[in-house]
Structures are given as structure tokens and as C-alpha cells.
Amino acid sequence: MELYPRIGKNFDIKVFTNCRFGMMSWAVLAVTYGIKQYETYGRVSDSMLINMILMLVYVTKFFWWEAGYWNTMDIAHDRAGFYICWGCLVWVPSVYTSPGMYLVNHPVNLGVQLAVYILVSGILSIFINYDCDRQRQEFRRTNGKALVWGKAPSKIHATYTTTSGETKSSLLLMSGWWGLSRHFHYVPEILAAFFWTLPALFNHFLPYFYVVFLTILLFDRAKRDDERCRSKYGKYWKLYCEKVPYRIIPGIY
């Protein structure tokens, strides 16, 4: 299991499986479910439209922010074994789009008011998720000098030793979204998934399998990331946890 496997000089296997195939298949399947519903019923329900729009907005956000994805656990730390490759080639396209697949044969009429509420809430969640990542990326790009919510950010200058024995430094952000909890960006991501599932309403558990799975996945990822950072930064991470005590949900966890 290599960290950055390549075929030749330019074909990055992880980028292909995670981004090109996985995320593009997500977008294609979201649209095909809408087409299938139209072929079956002669129309596309408002619930299917909301589901399609929100998933397409999310995938568009991903590719807009793609450069920031290189710093996530998927790329920077998780090796390209079965877990990552099969997950992105098979699990992501099939399971992550499952709310739309359910709606194909179970169309729901939401009405204009409820449809607009769900759409706006979903887009807001996706925007906050994007803004969390943008905030941290800009903080890193400017070496901690970028303003966060109009103010100079609170930060910790942390040093760590690499496996080769080299001492390096890093900045830990404690302002903005990242002052609310150590992995706050997972909150709007889970909410976005909930809102593009909500058009199915609560007639069956099946559409919500993805939301439950995603919640378990991200909570586990936050735990693994905390353990990795604790091992990497030592006393600096302990200080960071004292300043930002909540792992994901502010005031709760």
C-alpha cells in the first residue's frame, strides 16, 4: 500500500480513484436518477430536483476546492489500499447517491415552501463546509497572517520531529470555525448530506443509511486525526485541546 502510487510520471492513482472517478460518478449518477424518474413517470418531482441540485452543488464545490483536498487525511495520510480504492470506485458512487436512487421509485411532492427551505438549508451547509476549508487553507497559505472573521487569528506555533529526525514547525488555528471545535467542518458536511436526503421525508429508513454511515465515518476520522496529531505535536496538541476542547460538535462533543 503506497501513499502516492503512480503509473508513469503523471498518472496519480489516488487522484483518479478519489477525485476523477469517484466524485464524477457521483455527479453522473445523481443526474441519471432524475432522468430515470422522468422516463418512468413523465416528470421529475420537486424532491428529486432538490436532491440533484444539492448533490451537484456539493460535487462542484469539491472540484472548486480540489487543491485543498490534497491536505486531507485521504490524500496526505491514508495509503492507497483496498479501503480507499474500492471505497472511491464502488462505495462512493453507489451509496453516497442512494437517496436519489430511492426517490426514483418513491417520488415525494414537497411543495414550493418546503422545497425552498430544504434547498436553502442545504446550500448554506455546503457553503459553511467550503468556508471552513477555505479559512484553514488561507491561514496556511499566509503563514498565519490572514484575517479570520476580520481579526488576527489565535494560533499555536507547534514544532515536531519527522521520522528522519528533522525538526519542523507548524501553525494550529484556534479562530473562526476552527475555534468552535477541532473538526467543525464535519458538522456542515453531515448536515448537507441530511438535507439532500430530507426530500425523501421519513417514510423509510433506507435513504438515511448514507447519513448514518457518513456520521460514523467522520466521527471515526476525527478520532484518528486527533490521535495522529497527539502523537505528532505532543504538548502542543494538548495545549490546543485545552483551548479548543470540543472535537466536532461545539458544547457537546
Side-chain angles (χ1 to χ4, degrees):
M1 294 195 303
E2 295 180 43
L3 187 57
Y4 301 113
R6 291 176 179 269
I7 298 174
K9 291 184 178 180
N10 299 315
F11 190 90
D12 189 308
I13 293 175
K14 235 194 223 180
V15 171
F16 173 76
T17 58
N18 294 27
C19 306
R20 303 293 178 260
F21 191 95
M23 297 303 291
M24 287 183 178
S25 297
W26 186 343
V28 169
L29 284 172
V31 174
T32 58
Y33 292 146
I35 294 171
K36 179 61 178 176
Q37 190 184 74
Y38 180 81
E39 289 178 348
T40 303
Y41 296 98
R43 68 182 185 88
V44 178
S45 64
D46 54 4
S47 54
M48 178 64 84
L49 278 174
I50 298 303
N51 172 266
M52 284 172 52
I53 291 170
L54 288 179
M55 286 200 285
L56 290 174
V57 168
Y58 180 83
V59 173
T60 301
K61 183 274 299 184
F62 174 85
F63 284 111
W64 179 268
W65 164 81
E66 189 179 40
Y69 181 61
W70 311 142
N71 297 317
T72 65
M73 284 191 71
D74 285 352
I75 297 294
H77 303 289
D78 289 343
R79 296 180 177 274
F82 181 83
Y83 166 75
I84 286 289
C85 293
W86 183 87
C88 292
L89 292 173
V90 181
W91 188 260
V92 167
S94 57
V95 174
Y96 285 31
T97 62
S98 58
M101 181 172 63
Y102 173 84
L103 285 169
V104 170
N105 294 316
H106 303 84
V108 176
N109 182 31
L110 298 173
V112 175
Q113 187 175 22
L114 181 56
V116 170
Y117 284 156
I118 295 173
L119 179 63
V120 171
S121 299
I123 290 176
L124 181 62
S125 298
I126 294 169
F127 173 76
I128 293 174
N129 176 246
Y130 163 76
D131 196 54
C132 289
D133 292 319
R134 182 206 58 79
Q135 198 172 77
R136 182 173 59 180
Q137 194 173 357
E138 188 67 12
F139 173 77
R140 289 172 173 171
R141 188 186 67 81
T142 60
N143 198 29
K145 296 177 181 178
L147 295 180
V148 175
W149 290 354
K151 299 178 181 179
S154 298
K155 55 185 178 289
I156 293 176
H157 292 265
T159 58
Y160 62 94
T161 304
T162 64
T163 53
S164 61
E166 185 180 0
T167 300
K168 292 189 175 184
S169 63
S170 186
L171 294 175
L172 305 178
L173 176 61
M174 300 186 298
S175 296
W177 301 114
W178 302 93
L180 300 178
S181 67
R182 299 192 295 276
H183 304 277
F184 180 78
H185 58 314
Y186 291 157
V187 174
E189 183 152 354
I190 293 169
L191 285 175
F194 172 75
F195 284 121
W196 68 59
T197 304
L198 189 57
L201 298 182
F202 300 101
N203 299 318
H204 202 286
F205 169 75
L206 187 61
Y208 292 90
F209 172 78
Y210 164 58
V211 181
V212 173
F213 165 77
L214 182 69
T215 302
I216 295 171
L217 174 76
L218 294 182
F219 271 64
D220 175 70
R221 182 176 293 182
K223 182 175 179 294
R224 289 192 296 122
D225 197 31
D226 269 15
E227 290 170 352
R228 182 186 63 82
C229 289
R230 186 178 298 109
S231 175
K232 178 179 180 180
Y233 295 117
K235 63 180 181 180
Y236 299 105
W237 188 254
K238 183 179 180 182
L239 176 61
Y240 179 65
C241 290
E242 291 173 358
K243 299 289 185 180
V244 186
Y246 298 105
R247 181 174 286 169
I248 298 176
I249 306 173
I252 298 176
Y253 173 72

